């Protein structure tokens, strides 16, 4: 067996961000932050924007559910943002077609609730009417008309509008409050109106410390047991339930000519349609969350101790967030969700401790992809297959490879400018199943790496001739 040759990682040509740190843990302990995540449909989801920024920026854990990697999803159209760069606002700018598409989504969701077409139309008209956000937070049905690249163009909107203070509902919006809550769905849970989270949000607005059971608020006495972290999480949910305001680019109708007939320049100017930005409420909100792989989530809990994971499927969110799952419980739950979790996590833990940034390698048919520093800086160097064997390299392999399948996998990896690595996790022959039921078993596990490379006979002869 030949000795493997180490090839340095390939750095990306364009890097648009700076490197902050390998782990979301401060050495001095001053800026330490305990993040929270929920298990939803066997997936680990982080919803708090501050936790998302902390976990991804420091260690590149997880990926955005609506983005390619970094959770930076925005409904803004980049072309429109560049076109209206003179407008001083932080609201998203979208086209009229995209806005109407969201209106149709909201219409279909309301129709699924059994509302008649007349009621649905009335609700959407009241909710999506043009408005203006003033300093005091009052809403007026006035169009904001601005021209592109207009000098000193500003839209009056205070930062408090994001928290809902500038988005106080008018009298028409308050009629049928439960129906209006359906217009802003939670993308992480799917576009379903009248969901448990929304019903619980409405019940909390009526009476503190109540849980939603059977459609009626019932006292459960769990309000006094909340920790500061849980109350902060509820504040994030209230912010999500606040209206989202967008700027919609719309076209005005052609104006009648008031110029003399012989003035051709004036006639030519009147034929051009004027564009305007109209402030409206977004009828169908989409939230960007951070999805962690099971290996990443367990590493943050077990190795770094900076993440707490809760069950997020209970009817009462306060009761669901009482106690986080312990390390042993997570080890058992993740092993049930993913039968080979123990093997893949051992490999993940090993490479993380060696300074690599492992990511899911499903795209290339492997278990892990190894990055130096992170995906924004370098291309992946290795595609890793993890196998758990005994001292004699015997065991029930997860992926028995034939020469044909191994050759195809190696060719796929080489075409992507990576190297194929086989990671053998060697456990003692006397290790019992009871020991494997706890992550403490990793103390007795040994690791051996094997890099698979394709032998080219012509290249070998040319190197011998040169020597």
């Amino acid at each position: 067996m030949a000795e493997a040759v180490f090839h340095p990682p390939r750095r990306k040509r364009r890097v648009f961000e700076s490197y902050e740190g390998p782990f979301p843990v401060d050495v001095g302990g001053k800026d330490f932050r305990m993040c929270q995540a929920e298990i939803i449909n066997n997936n680990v989801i982080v919803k708090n924007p501050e936790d998302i920024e902390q976990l991804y920026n420091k260690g590149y854990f997880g990926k955005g559910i609506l983005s390619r990697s970094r959770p930076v999803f925005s409904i803004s159209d980049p072309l429109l943002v560049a076109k209206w760069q003179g407008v001083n606002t932080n609201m998203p700018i979208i086209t009229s077609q995209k806005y109407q598409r969201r209106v149709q989504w909201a219409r279909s969701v309301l129709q699924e609730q059994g509302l008649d077409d007349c009621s649905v139309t009335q609700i959407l008209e009241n909710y999506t009417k043009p408005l203006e956000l003033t300093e005091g937070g009052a809403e007026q049905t006035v169009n904001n008309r601005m021209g592109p690249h207009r000098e000193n163009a500003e839209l009056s909107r205070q930062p408090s509008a994001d928290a809902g203070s500038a988005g106080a509902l008018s009298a028409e919006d308050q009629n049928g409050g439960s129906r209006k809550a359906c217009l802003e769905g939670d993308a992480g849970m799917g576009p379903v109106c009248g969901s448990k989270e929304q019903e619980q949000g409405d019940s909390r607005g009526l009476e503190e410390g109540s849980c939603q059971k059977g459609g009626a608020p019932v006292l459960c006495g769990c309000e006094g047991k909340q920790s500061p972290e849980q109350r902060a999480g509820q504040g994030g949910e209230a912010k999500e339930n606040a209206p989202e305001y967008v700027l919609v680019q719309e076209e005005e109708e052609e104006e009648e000519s008031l110029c003399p007939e012989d003035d051709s320049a004036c006639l030519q100017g009147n034929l051009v349609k004027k564009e305007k930005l109209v402030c409206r409420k977004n009828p169908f909100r989409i939230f960007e969350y951070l999805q962690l792989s099971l290996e990443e989530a367990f590493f943050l809990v077990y190795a770094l101790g900076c993440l707490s994971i809760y069950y997020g499927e209970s009817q009462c969110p306060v009761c669901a967030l009482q106690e986080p799952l312990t390390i042993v419980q997570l080890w058992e739950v993740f092993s049930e969700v993913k039968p080979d979790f123990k093997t893949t996590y051992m490999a993940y833990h090993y490479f993380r401790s060696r300074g690599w940034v492992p990511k899911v390698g499903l795209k290339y048919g492997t278990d892990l992809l190894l990055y130096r520093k992170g995906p924004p800086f370098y291309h992946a160097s290795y595609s890793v297959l993890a196998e758990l064997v005994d001292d004699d390299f015997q065991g029930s392999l997860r992926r028995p490879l034939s020469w044909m399948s191994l050759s195809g996998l190696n060719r796929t990896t080489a075409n992507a400018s990576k190297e194929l690595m086989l990671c053998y996790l060697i456990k003692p022959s006397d290790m019992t199943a009871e020991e494997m039921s706890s992550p403490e078993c990793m103390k007795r596990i040994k690791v051996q790496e094997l890099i698979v490379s394709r032998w080219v006979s012509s290249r070998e002869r040319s190197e011998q001739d040169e020597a």
Side-chain angles (χ1 to χ4, degrees), residues 79 102 137 207 337:
L79 298 179
R102 280 168 169 75
E207 184 175 2
V337 174

Side-chain angles (χ1 to χ4, degrees), residues 259-325:
C259 302
E261 297 181 356
D262 55 350
D263 194 346
S264 59
C266 184
L267 288 174
Q268 185 177 2
N270 287 335
L271 293 178
V272 179
K273 291 185 178 181
K274 293 184 179 181
E275 295 176 342
K276 61 179 179 180
L277 287 182
V278 180
C279 182
R280 300 178 186 270
K281 287 182 182 178
N282 185 8
F284 195 93
R285 296 187 65 181
I286 300 178
F287 297 98
E288 174 80 292
Y289 296 143
L290 185 72
Q291 181 177 355
L292 300 173
S293 67
L294 301 183
E295 293 79 10
E296 291 173 330
F298 193 84
F299 182 83
L300 291 171
V301 175
Y302 174 71
L304 302 183
C306 62
L307 182 68
S308 298
I309 300 179
Y310 304 83
Y311 270 116
E313 299 179 354
S314 175
Q315 289 186 349
C316 175
V318 180
C319 298
L321 297 176
Q322 284 304 306
E323 293 294 337
L325 296 176

